[in-house]
Amino acid sequence: MLSGYTLKKIPLSELKLATVKDFKRLIIPVLIVFAVDFLLQLFLFGASVPVLLKTDIKKLLWGTLNKGGGVLWFLIALFYSKFFFRIVLNKIPKYREMFLLVGTYIFSVPKLKIELPQNFDLIFVGMLFMDAGYILRNSVDEDSPKLEKLGVIAFFIWIYLVRNKKIYVDLAQRIYPVLAIIAAICGALCVIQLCKLFECSKLLTKVTGFFGKRSLDLLCIHQLDGLTGNCVLKYLEPEKLNPYVHCFVRILFYTVVLLCLVGARILFRKAVAAFRK
């Protein structure tokens, strides 16, 4: 939904350029993480090269349906959703909501059980969320009191559905009933309002801005958690820790790794600049 909120409508003549940019931003990181994961498995655990190649190819092709690939399936699904949503915006300007709802329903019918490579069957529900964000951005002014009222109403709906009714979206498991989609949209509205609230504080703006710009890096670090983070955190016996303490320690660990990564990038860029001179 937030991707749709920040997406701008472009003519189809610019689709190729936008797709190339999305490929670099979303798919290249997936390939890099898979490559790092491959090397770690190979050198740290002595895994077989043919077995690793076969496993990684299956993960890339089938995503969540292969019960592998971790959280990176989402980036691939988002890439396809953005590509097709731009086409839908141009080709179906008036009745796209109906088109997306019908498509989402067809792919969610348990009896049909349509499962496609690279989670292609999730594209319609992905575009539905993007459309909700796109409509919100283009129909309500960011500074309008209406958005604040929507945020308050959304908060109570969200809490009621998720907390009391245990209704939630799990795209990886193909769980997205109508009420769950409503709950997720309300949750996204709350996040938007929370971000606007943070703008009142320069410190919070800097902190959230720093992590926001590097959210993709954090996602990739989280993906490698099984081979990196768990090697450190397993000594803390996470199963005996309070869940909130465990969560804090894990976030702290991710933050340290992220800072090291950012520092390494800065040093690399300086070294490249000095070499060119």
Side-chain angles (χ1 to χ4, degrees):
M1 181 172 172
L2 295 174
S3 295
Y5 189 81
T6 56
L7 185 136
K8 293 181 179 179
K9 184 179 179 180
I10 59 171
L12 290 180
S13 59
E14 298 178 15
L15 180 62
K16 182 179 178 180
L17 180 61
T19 303
V20 170
K21 287 183 179 179
D22 285 339
F23 185 88
K24 291 178 179 178
R25 290 178 59 252
L26 298 172
I27 304 301
I28 294 298
V30 172
L31 299 177
I32 291 173
V33 171
F34 265 87
V36 173
D37 178 85
F38 180 90
L39 293 174
L40 288 172
Q41 293 275 10
L42 186 64
F43 293 108
L44 291 182
F45 302 101
S48 168
V49 173
V51 173
L52 278 177
L53 285 172
K54 185 178 179 180
T55 302
D56 283 350
I57 289 171
K58 279 186 176 180
K59 287 178 181 179
L60 279 169
L61 284 177
W62 291 102
T64 57
L65 298 176
N66 187 58
K67 296 182 179 179
V71 295
L72 296 181
W73 69 268
F74 174 76
L75 296 181
I76 298 173
L78 179 60
F79 171 77
Y80 287 126
S81 295
K82 291 185 75 174
F83 173 78
F84 286 105
F85 185 62
R86 287 192 172 103
I87 295 175
V88 169
L89 278 177
N90 281 276
K91 295 294 185 180
I92 317 175
K94 290 185 178 181
Y95 304 105
R96 66 174 183 274
E97 286 79 23
M98 185 61 67
F99 172 73
L100 296 178
L101 283 168
V102 171
T104 300
Y105 173 76
I106 291 172
F107 280 95
S108 66
V109 176
K111 291 183 179 179
L112 296 178
K113 201 178 181 180
I114 302 172
E115 297 178 345
L116 300 175
Q118 293 196 323
N119 303 292
F120 215 77
D121 51 300
L122 295 175
I123 288 177
F124 272 98
V125 68
M127 288 193 290
L128 190 65
F129 279 117
M130 293 186 72
D131 191 54
Y134 183 82
I135 291 171
L136 179 66
R137 179 64 181 269
N138 291 279
S139 61
V140 182
D141 182 36
E142 284 187 359
D143 300 320
S144 171
K146 289 182 181 180
L147 192 57
E148 294 182 6
K149 291 177 181 177
L150 275 174
V152 173
I153 295 170
F155 175 77
F156 287 106
I157 296 174
W158 180 43
I159 293 298
Y160 175 75
L161 292 175
V162 177
R163 179 71 178 176
N164 295 340
K165 296 296 183 180
K166 308 297 182 183
I167 295 172
Y168 60 92
V169 165
D170 189 341
L171 294 181
Q173 300 297 324
R174 275 57 178 177
I175 300 172
Y176 46 92
V178 175
L179 283 178
I181 291 176
I182 293 172
I185 289 174
C186 289
L189 281 168
C190 293
V191 170
I192 291 170
Q193 288 302 303
L194 186 63
C195 291
K196 287 184 68 178
L197 184 64
F198 284 170
E199 290 179 352
C200 299
S201 168
K202 290 184 178 180
L203 178 61
L204 280 175
T205 300
K206 287 182 179 180
V207 172
T208 54
F210 175 82
F211 287 105
K213 290 177 181 177
R214 296 163 180 84
S215 57
L216 186 59
D217 291 333
L218 284 169
L219 186 71
C220 293
I221 292 168
H222 174 58
Q223 168 62 28
L224 293 170
D225 178 46
L227 293 173
T228 55
N230 283 344
C231 293
V232 176
L233 296 175
K234 68 180 180 181
Y235 297 107
L236 298 175
E237 298 183 338
E239 65 279 357
K240 296 181 181 179
L241 281 177
N242 178 288
Y244 295 102
V245 175
H246 183 212
C247 180
F248 174 77
V249 172
R250 192 172 289 275
I251 290 173
L252 184 64
F253 178 77
Y254 289 170
T255 303
V256 171
V257 175
L258 177 66
L259 292 173
C260 292
L261 180 63
V262 171
R265 280 178 179 168
I266 293 172
L267 291 174
F268 178 76
R269 287 169 184 168
K270 287 183 178 179
V272 170
F275 178 77
R276 287 177 177 176
K277 290 181 181 180

